[in-house]
Amino acid sequence: GHSPKRGAEEVHGKKIDKTETVTQTPRKLQRLLDASAKCVEKPAFEGLVGFLILANTFVMIFETQYMGLTSGYQTGLPLVEENPRETWPGAKDVFIFLDRAFTIAFTLELAFRFFALRCTIFKYPMNWLDIIAVAVSLLQWAVESIPVNPTILRLVRAARLVRGIRFLK
């Protein structure tokens, strides 16, 4: 039989020479990466993310309704008799808070997914949608006075809802 040369070791099924400089993932880190990858693939994780997407959708629906009522009141639309700022006191602050909370949650979810999947995250189109949606949310937050129509930014963020397709598997 063929015996490995002195100083050779098998790593991930490949024989390497110990004298070569080899970048290895330490075992504890590799176990953490493997566990993270398994966690990301579990239905419970997907369910939690799905719940957050659904909750964010409802918040966006209520925010859109509030903005519509506010515009209707300001333009004198007969169907909107009361000022929404008075009938929904503090709503604007609540929507800002919830938008930022969801932005943080989706940023953490994407960061965890990236940690777990590393570069393979880029192989799946749904992840690209997530990356774009989170980037737009972070950009919108970072630059409050973006000279872009906010409706367009909301539509891009709403595209995140398309992620729900993965639950139809």
Side-chain angles (χ1 to χ4, degrees), residues 19-132:
T19 59
E20 296 174 23
T21 304
V22 177
T23 305
Q24 284 189 46
T25 307
R27 283 194 178 143
K28 286 183 180 183
L29 178 59
Q30 188 60 49
R31 276 190 246 133
L32 180 61
L33 290 170
D34 292 343
S36 299
K38 286 178 185 175
C39 178
V40 164
E41 295 169 0
K42 287 187 177 186
F45 183 80
E46 288 293 330
L48 175 63
V49 172
F51 172 78
L52 289 174
I53 291 170
L54 190 59
N56 190 30
T57 302
F58 282 111
V59 169
M60 290 171 64
I61 289 168
F62 286 116
E63 182 180 17
T64 303
Q65 178 67 26
Y66 175 77
M67 290 175 4
L69 289 172
T70 302
S71 296
Y73 180 77
Q74 290 172 345
T75 58
L77 186 68
L79 298 173
V80 185
E81 297 172 358
E82 297 181 54
N83 185 349
R85 292 186 179 137
E86 293 171 9
T87 57
W88 294 23
K92 186 175 182 180
D93 293 334
V94 170
F95 290 131
I96 290 170
F97 171 79
L98 290 173
D99 181 60
R100 289 182 178 174
F102 282 117
T103 298
I104 291 168
F106 290 131
T107 301
L108 291 173
E109 178 255 337
L110 186 62
F112 181 68
R113 193 176 293 274
F114 184 76
F115 175 77
L117 301 175
R118 293 167 299 283
C119 289
T120 60
I121 193 171
F122 300 113
K123 290 183 180 179
Y124 305 101
M126 286 297 176
N127 290 332
W128 278 101
L129 186 63
D130 294 346
I131 292 165
I132 291 167

Side-chain angles (χ1 to χ4, degrees), residues 60 126 129 133 153-164:
M60 290 171 64
M126 286 297 176
L129 186 63
L153 290 174
R154 284 187 191 90
L155 286 173
V156 172
R157 286 177 43 224
R160 187 171 179 88
L161 303 176
V162 175
R163 289 184 63 198

